[in-house]
Amino acid sequence: MALAKLGAVVLDCPDPRALAAFYAEVLGGTVEGDGEWAELKAGDGRSLAFQAAPGHVSPKWPAPDNSQQFHLDLVVDDLDTAEQGVLALGARTLDAEDRSRTWRVYADPAGHPFCLCAC
């Protein structure tokens, strides 16, 4: 028997509303909240939340002397199309040189790493 259920994954960032808007464009859904806390409510009932963190320092990737802390794997149908979309929204490439792989690594506008993964 489980002791708890997962409510939301929360990302620290300098601007919760702006980062929630970025992920809303990538994943769909609606953004709620403002100020210190914003939450992306996806159409499937899942949520991703964003919390203001003054002095936020982005994780480094790859960096053997620093932890990336976590990353999101986002499943897509077409890597090239998804890549064009996330770059247009403000993501930056961290590791997408190997075009033969079924995944590519990016950083969101606040510097959190995420992967686009082909189905």
Side-chain angles (χ1 to χ4, degrees):
M1 176 171 88
L3 298 175
K5 64 180 183 175
L6 181 64
V9 173
V10 182
L11 284 71
D12 286 354
C13 60
D15 185 342
R17 184 80 184 183
L19 195 56
F22 168 82
Y23 279 104
E25 289 293 325
V26 173
L27 300 170
T30 58
V31 176
E32 298 176 1
D34 214 347
E36 300 290 312
W37 183 272
E39 193 166 347
L40 170 60
K41 302 278 192 172
D44 63 2
R46 297 181 196 186
S47 65
L48 187 58
F50 308 88
Q51 174 176 280
H56 171 72
V57 177
S58 301
K60 294 180 181 162
W61 190 97
D65 58 339
N66 285 308
S67 170
Q68 69 173 317
Q69 300 169 13
F70 81 102
H71 73 273
L72 300 172
D73 282 346
L74 307 178
V75 178
V76 300
D77 291 325
D78 183 311
L79 278 172
D80 293 329
T81 300
E83 176 179 66
Q84 290 173 359
V86 298
L87 294 175
L89 292 168
R92 62 186 166 83
T93 302
L94 293 179
D95 180 26
E97 295 84 21
D98 184 351
R99 308 308 261 188
S100 67
R101 294 188 311 216
T102 59
W103 51 273
R104 299 175 190 164
V105 186
Y106 306 87
D108 69 24
H112 303 102
F114 69 94
C115 295
L116 295 178
C117 306
C119 296

